[in-house]
């Protein structure tokens, strides 16, 4: 009898542990349904210490940048309007180089309306590889909360984390630790608040036991449930020196029943230099629907193609014209055959 009770206790304990381990995943799955169509507008303020950005020229002074960005999600589709200044390793300065990244869940496009330098011809990259921009640390709280089960959008997938016995109290919130082992001595932990819709309040990276990354997220109630309202990120180098301090705040949150498909399309204006990562080919946009193939130096190769998001008519009009022409010929042939048969019967 005692043995039976002992086995029963072990079974119940194992079941409780498994249930706790699944709670984070289940809550994330439910949120992906609730936050299927949402948009966030947020402000990002970054502080970077002198010398922490390098290349041919280092950052010669402490720098602070401020930018307003926007993220739109609709199922597997996403659009990220990134207005953060881009660091130039060759000039040692920040460039005003806004970009727009979109994906339909299969392919993606990255567009720089002012060029990568911020003062040149528009440039674009099409293909699948550039979708990794959605896994940027700027978007981590939003993607982990709304798309935590999507490897294409989330920087860390929730199912990779395993429940530990660790816990941490953050303010008034007691959080459980979920751990994801990494490579090269790096471990990543998420501290999850079970009492508040199972949300991650802190994400922490340790390298060989030393803290190198800490992200703290605050939430507010919305029409879709708790939603990220602000977050603070601190990064350190291997010696413990501050690399980056970031503070972000959501300015506008919108919960939608659906999002117009046009939000995830980009028509490249005339003169845009386009590189296709899948075919390794170069193009120059001509108007808003046509591109001309060039070599790597911009020489026209005489081949015309339609843009990836060109209108249905532009993409398939030749097929439609030939189909109409073929149907017309067929109808004329049938009419001619019936008329000849009618004449024979009359004779």
């Amino acid at each position: 009898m005692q043995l039976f009770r002992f086995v029963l206790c072990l079974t119940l304990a194992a079941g409780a542990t498994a249930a706790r381990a699944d709670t984070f995943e289940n809550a994330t799955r439910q949120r992906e349904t609730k936050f299927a169509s949402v948009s966030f507008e947020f402000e990002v303020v970054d502080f970077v210490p002198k010398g922490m950005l390098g290349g041919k020229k280092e950052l010669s002074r402490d720098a602070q940048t401020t930018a307003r960005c926007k993220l739109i999600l609709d199922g597997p589709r996403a659009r990220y309007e990134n207005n953060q200044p881009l660091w130039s390793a060759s000039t040692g300065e920040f460039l005003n180089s806004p970009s727009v990244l979109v994906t339909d869940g299969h392919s993606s496009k990255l567009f720089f309306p002012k060029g990568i330098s911020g003062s040149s011809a528009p440039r674009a990259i099409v293909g699948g590889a550039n979708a990794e921009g959605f896994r940027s640390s700027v978007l981590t709280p939003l993607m982990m909360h709304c798309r935590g089960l999507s490897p294409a959008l989330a920087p860390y997938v929730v199912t990779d984390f395993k429940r530990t016995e660790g816990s941490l109290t953050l303010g008034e919130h007691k959080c459980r630790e979920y751990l994801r082992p990494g490579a090269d001595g790096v471990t990543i932990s998420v501290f999850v608040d079970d009492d508040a819709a199972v949300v991650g309040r802190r994400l922490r990276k340790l390298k060989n036991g030393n803290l190198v990354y800490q992200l703290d997220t605050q939430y507010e109630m919305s029409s879709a449930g708790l939603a990220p309202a602000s977050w603070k990120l601190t990064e350190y180098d291997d010696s413990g020196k501050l690399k980056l301090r970031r503070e972000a705040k959501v300015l506008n949150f919108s919960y939608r029943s659906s999002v117009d498909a046009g939000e995830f399309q980009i028509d490249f204006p005339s003169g845009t230099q386009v590189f296709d990562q899948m075919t390794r080919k170069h193009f120059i946009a001509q108007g808003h629907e046509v591109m001309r193939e060039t070599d790597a130096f911009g020489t026209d190769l005489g081949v015309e193609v339609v843009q990836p998001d060109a209108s249905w008519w532009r993409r398939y009009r030749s097929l439609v014209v030939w189909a109409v022409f073929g149907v017309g010929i067929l109808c004329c042939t049938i009419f001619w055959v019936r008329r000849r048969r009618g004449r024979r019967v009359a004779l």
Side-chain angles (χ1 to χ4, degrees):
M1 185 57 122
Q2 290 180 345
L3 178 61
F4 173 76
R5 289 178 178 175
F6 177 71
V7 173
L8 179 61
C9 289
L10 287 178
T11 303
L12 292 175
T17 301
R20 287 197 302 270
D22 292 339
T23 301
F24 190 23
E25 178 181 345
N26 292 337
T28 304
R29 196 177 306 279
Q30 292 174 14
R31 279 199 305 273
E32 288 204 6
T33 300
K34 292 181 179 179
F35 286 78
S37 301
V38 293
S39 67
F40 295 88
E41 287 188 61
F42 55 97
E43 183 181 71
V44 184
V45 180
D46 282 353
F47 172 78
V48 184
K50 173 183 176 180
M52 284 300 169
L53 291 174
K56 291 183 179 179
K57 293 186 178 180
E58 284 190 346
L59 180 63
S60 59
R61 64 191 184 282
D62 292 348
Q64 180 170 299
T65 64
T66 303
R68 184 165 178 161
C69 305
K70 185 175 183 179
L71 174 68
I72 302 175
L73 298 173
D74 185 47
R77 302 184 299 181
R79 177 187 178 98
Y80 175 35
E81 298 174 12
N82 181 11
N83 294 304
Q84 284 192 288
L86 184 66
W87 170 253
S88 171
S90 59
T91 65
E93 298 290 340
F94 287 97
L95 304 176
N96 179 21
S97 180
S99 64
V100 180
L101 175 62
V102 297
T103 181
D104 60 5
H106 302 286
S107 61
S108 59
K109 295 195 295 184
L110 177 60
F111 178 51
F112 295 89
K114 297 182 179 180
I116 296 178
S117 68
S119 59
S120 59
R123 296 183 67 91
I125 304 172
V126 299
N130 52 12
E132 63 190 30
F134 288 113
R135 296 187 289 274
S136 164
S137 63
V138 179
L139 301 178
T140 295
L142 304 178
M143 289 304 191
M144 290 291 290
H145 189 76
C146 303
R147 295 296 183 269
L149 297 176
S150 171
L153 298 175
Y156 311 106
V157 181
V158 165
T159 51
D160 291 340
F161 290 85
K162 304 301 179 185
R163 173 77 173 90
T164 73
E165 295 304 315
S167 63
L168 187 66
T169 300
L170 299 172
E172 300 176 352
H173 308 282
K174 186 173 182 180
C175 303
R176 303 175 183 272
E177 182 186 37
Y178 289 77
L179 182 68
R180 175 184 180 270
D184 301 323
V186 175
T187 57
I188 303 170
S189 295
V190 176
F191 291 91
V192 177
D193 185 352
D194 285 353
D195 295 329
V198 195
V199 294
R201 293 197 174 273
R202 171 170 291 178
L203 190 148
R204 186 172 68 184
K205 292 183 187 178
L206 300 179
K207 185 173 183 180
N208 300 321
N210 297 317
L211 179 66
V212 294
Y213 179 107
Q214 182 167 294
L215 173 67
D216 290 297
T217 305
Q218 302 295 323
Y219 299 85
E220 290 182 357
M221 186 58 66
S222 73
S223 55
L226 283 180
S230 63
W231 56 95
K232 295 181 179 180
L233 168 66
T234 311
E235 288 190 60
Y236 304 92
D237 65 12
D238 291 343
S239 67
K241 291 182 179 179
L242 178 68
K243 285 178 59 179
L244 170 68
R245 183 168 59 244
R246 170 177 295 149
E247 294 188 9
K249 181 180 180 180
V250 174
L251 304 175
N252 292 298
F253 169 73
S254 175
Y255 170 71
R256 311 181 184 183
S257 58
S258 63
V259 180
D260 188 278
E263 295 277 15
F264 309 100
Q265 299 175 352
I266 303 176
D267 293 327
F268 303 136
S270 182
T272 301
Q273 301 174 25
V274 182
F275 177 64
D276 189 329
Q277 288 184 318
M278 302 297 289
T279 63
R280 314 302 295 179
K281 292 183 178 180
H282 298 263
F283 302 90
I284 295 289
Q286 309 286 322
H288 285 277
E289 293 190 337
V290 181
M291 301 190 300
R292 300 274 296 185
E293 185 178 351
T294 70
D295 62 16
F297 302 99
T299 303
D300 194 330
L301 299 181
V303 179
E304 185 176 282
V305 300
V306 296
Q307 288 194 27
D309 285 335
S311 65
W312 180 91
W313 169 248
R314 178 67 193 181
R315 187 178 293 275
Y316 300 109
R317 66 180 180 180
S318 60
L319 293 178
V320 173
V321 170
W322 279 107
V324 171
F325 180 76
V327 170
I329 294 294
L330 179 61
C331 290
C332 290
T333 302
I334 293 174
F335 175 77
W336 180 77
V337 170
R338 286 183 175 180
R339 189 172 182 181
R340 285 183 60 86
R341 285 179 178 176
R343 287 180 178 178
R344 289 177 180 177
V345 170
L347 293 174

